[in-house]
Amino acid sequence: SNDIREGNEIVFAKVSTLIYLFDVSRRKADQFASDLSLLEASVAALRLHSPNARLFILLHKFDLLQGTE
């Protein structure tokens, strides 16, 4: 979201741990691209404002994927 990109110094300053939840049930390409873009912006802001922070990425609803998805 633009809030993350525009106010990232306030949001990401003094962060010790960031837990990012990826909802893998969002299968449409545009939704995935949007989620990935937000993750990339979040990681970039985290590295800039809290370079020692730990990052965890969780895959939510991973068990719902079938076969080659």
Side-chain angles (χ1 to χ4, degrees):
S1 106
N2 285 339
D3 294 338
I4 295 295
R5 290 182 180 100
E6 292 173 6
N8 64 22
E9 183 176 355
I10 295 168
V11 174
F12 290 97
K14 300 181 183 177
V15 172
S16 62
T17 303
L18 175 68
I19 301 171
Y20 194 92
L21 182 65
F22 236 119
D23 185 352
V24 297
S25 69
R26 295 180 64 165
R27 294 186 182 116
K28 293 184 180 177
D30 61 329
Q31 291 173 326
F32 180 75
S34 175
D35 289 348
L36 189 57
S37 176
L38 182 57
L39 173 61
E40 289 171 343
S42 298
V43 170
L46 187 67
R47 285 184 174 170
L48 179 64
H49 300 293
S50 296
N52 295 322
R54 296 173 59 177
L55 173 65
F56 295 92
I57 300 173
L58 305 177
L59 302 176
H60 182 55
K61 299 182 184 175
F62 189 75
D63 58 321
L64 298 179
L65 295 181
Q66 298 175 357
T68 60
E69 292 184 88

